[in-house]
């Protein structure tokens, strides 16, 4: 089973950028999709973006499209989330996720095979 560890969260000013990383403990099968979800206090966890491990097909939530970029380094078993032009908003925990199948805005929490513990992102101003 894949183990996921996120890093890179923290405090950033509105309009700024932040890059998150998600490191997997072992080799990720080519059939996996990797994704990022986020959850703010009092709100449901929501899909942010995903990428297929084999050929790197990406999907983005409408709210982040054009500002966020997901990428992966297969040799390092690591997926990244580059977040640009962050608006001021409530803090949110960003979770890395893995699934043996498609990850998209339709994916439910119970469909995910493995979750990271999350990394907190706070945008000031």
């Amino acid at each position: 089973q894949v183990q996921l560890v996120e890093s890179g969260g923290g405090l950033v000013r509105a309009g700024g950028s932040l890059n998150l990383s998600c490191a997997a403990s072992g080799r990720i099968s080519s059939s996996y999709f990797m994704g990022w979800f986020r959850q703010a206090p009092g709100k449901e966890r929501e899909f942010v973006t995903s990428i297929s491990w084999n050929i790197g097909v990406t999907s983005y939530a409408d709210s982040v499209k054009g500002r966020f970029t997901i990428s992966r380094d297969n040799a390092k078993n690591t997926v990244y989330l580059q977040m640009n032009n962050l608006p001021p908003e409530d803090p949110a925990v960003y979770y890395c996720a893995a699934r043996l199948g498609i990850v998209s805005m339709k994916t439910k929490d119970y469909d995910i095979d493995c979750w990271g513990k999350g990394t907190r992102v706070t945008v000031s101003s």
Side-chain angles (χ1 to χ4, degrees):
Q1 185 169 327
V2 176
Q3 302 292 319
L4 306 174
V5 179
E6 303 97 333
S7 62
L11 177 65
V12 63
R13 296 181 65 178
S17 299
L18 201 63
N19 188 272
L20 307 181
S21 298
C22 174
S25 62
R27 183 183 181 276
I28 302 173
S29 170
S30 61
S31 62
Y32 268 90
F33 276 63
M34 304 294 294
W36 291 94
F37 293 72
R38 66 185 178 189
Q39 186 172 29
K43 298 181 180 179
E44 296 182 354
R45 183 150 52 186
E46 63 177 350
F47 168 80
V48 177
T49 182
S50 67
I51 188 168
S52 64
W53 198 246
N54 55 351
I55 61 174
V57 177
T58 60
S59 181
Y60 295 93
D62 289 342
S63 61
V64 305
K65 198 166 188 176
R67 298 187 298 110
F68 286 16
T69 302
I70 188 171
S71 62
R72 87 276 195 242
D73 187 331
N74 298 75
K76 295 182 178 180
N77 290 330
T78 301
V79 63
Y80 305 94
L81 179 61
Q82 179 65 46
M83 306 185 294
N84 297 326
N85 193 25
L86 289 162
E89 56 189 1
D90 291 337
V93 177
Y94 282 71
Y95 297 93
C96 184
R99 186 193 183 202
L100 283 168
I102 294 173
V103 175
S104 71
M105 63 181 299
K106 298 180 179 180
T107 303
K108 306 298 183 182
D109 281 6
Y110 54 78
D111 290 327
I112 298 297
D113 295 317
C114 184
W115 291 100
K117 293 182 179 180
T119 184
R120 184 179 178 89
V121 174
T122 302
V123 184
S124 65
S125 183

